[in-house]
Amino acid sequence: MRKSGQMGARMEEKKKILAIDSSGLVASVAVICGDELTAEYTVNYKKTHSQTLLPMLEEIKKMTELELDSIDAIAVSAGPGSFTGLRIGSATAKGLGLALEKPLIAVPTVDGLAFNLYGVEKYICPIMDARRNQVYTGVYRFRRQEGQWELEVIKSQCAVSIDELIGFLNEAGEEVIFLGDGVPVFKEDIAANIKVPYSFAPAHMNRQRAASVGALGRIYLEQGKIQTAAEHEPEYLRMSQAERERLEKS
């Protein structure tokens, strides 16, 4: 019986996940098999995600001889983030999920960003530029539980003003690491108003990565947090600019 259980655990570890993140300026695709990163293709440049995601996936397929039928689930950065980017990522994941009859794993964008700093016990604060002096953000840290690091959510992902976020962090009184595309935008505000020790994540950790989405997605898969492709919808947190303008006119 023990041998059978060990075999089952090994089989669970070898679940293959295709991960997609197009929630911000970065386009990223990755394949994770068990606890190994098989491939990751990340581009932080000017092209739109509609031009990059599928060619990036095709390149990974060629380089790793990946058969899409062999994947067990598709993890996608589910928002918040760029409205256009989220729609492209969601449509890509839904299309693949429907065609392959595979489940989707919706990974909150800010949680995925925080997962870049796996094992960090300081406060982790991803910030994405949400325009109008607001950020998409959340506050996290890792704690050891039974020999493993678990992501603890201090403040769930939300859209708030940078002043409100800094006020929350000052009141918490904990050292904090910032990351995300909001850092260049709000770096001066942070420096002028933060009252706790702080730092900024280095280049290889400070933007969205499909590998982090896939790694966190693997945990969600083990917990049964999946949905069908038909069920999946992005989580915007805010109305789009077009929706706000229609509301103002009405």
Side-chain angles (χ1 to χ4, degrees):
M1 293 296 291
R2 181 179 300 175
K3 184 176 180 181
S4 175
Q6 290 172 343
M7 288 180 63
R10 286 198 296 270
M11 287 177 66
E12 183 65 31
E13 288 174 358
K14 289 298 182 182
K15 291 288 187 181
K16 189 180 293 184
I17 296 174
L18 171 66
I20 297 169
D21 194 323
S22 60
S23 59
L25 300 175
V26 172
S28 187
V29 180
V31 176
I32 287 181
C33 185
D35 57 2
E36 294 181 359
L37 174 63
T38 303
E40 183 180 31
Y41 193 157
T42 300
V43 176
N44 183 17
Y45 199 60
K46 298 176 183 178
K47 289 185 178 179
T48 63
H49 299 326
S50 60
Q51 295 174 294
T52 53
L53 271 185
L54 289 178
M56 289 162 64
L57 174 57
E58 188 62 31
E59 189 65 23
I60 282 180
K61 281 176 55 185
K62 290 179 183 177
M63 293 292 289
T64 65
E65 300 178 342
L66 173 68
E67 295 291 340
L68 286 179
D69 283 340
S70 69
I71 66 172
D72 295 288
I74 302 163
V76 59
S77 182
S82 156
F83 286 83
T84 302
L86 288 175
R87 283 194 291 268
I88 292 169
S90 175
T92 302
K94 285 169 74 78
L96 289 169
L98 288 168
L100 300 170
E101 298 183 344
K102 303 293 182 179
L104 266 58
I105 309 166
V107 176
T109 301
V110 184
D111 294 30
L113 263 169
F115 214 72
N116 285 3
L117 301 183
Y118 182 86
V120 172
E121 295 181 90
K122 301 170 185 176
Y123 272 18
I124 302 166
C125 186
I127 53 175
M128 299 171 63
D129 184 15
R131 312 295 182 187
R132 307 179 91 176
N133 206 43
Q134 284 196 323
V135 290
Y136 297 125
T137 188
V139 181
Y140 309 81
R141 70 174 158 200
F142 283 90
R143 288 190 180 277
R144 286 197 76 84
Q145 299 286 342
E146 300 179 356
Q148 293 185 333
W149 291 105
E150 290 189 3
L151 184 65
E152 179 184 1
V153 180
I154 307 298
K155 183 179 180 64
S156 297
Q157 64 175 23
C158 57
V160 297
S161 71
I162 188 65
D163 295 333
E164 183 178 339
L165 173 62
I166 292 172
F168 174 86
L169 294 169
N170 285 339
E171 187 174 337
E174 298 281 344
E175 184 173 353
V176 60
I177 301 177
F178 293 96
L179 69 159
D181 62 35
V183 168
V185 180
F186 296 105
K187 200 169 189 176
E188 292 183 3
D189 295 87
I190 292 169
N193 297 295
I194 198 84
K195 293 181 171 59
V196 296
Y198 71 96
S199 58
F200 300 106
H204 65 294
M205 295 178 175
N206 69 8
R207 293 293 188 274
Q208 287 91 334
R209 291 187 59 182
S212 293
V213 172
L216 188 52
R218 178 188 171 222
I219 294 172
Y220 287 175
L221 180 62
E222 291 172 353
Q223 295 172 347
K225 296 180 180 178
I226 60 175
Q227 56 188 187
T228 66
E231 291 172 332
H232 175 72
E233 293 293 339
E235 184 178 1
Y236 297 113
L237 288 189
R238 288 194 335 186
M239 291 186 293
S240 69
Q241 182 176 346
E243 289 172 322
R244 290 196 301 269
E245 289 176 352
R246 282 199 300 269
L247 187 62
E248 288 168 1
K249 288 179 180 178
S250 62

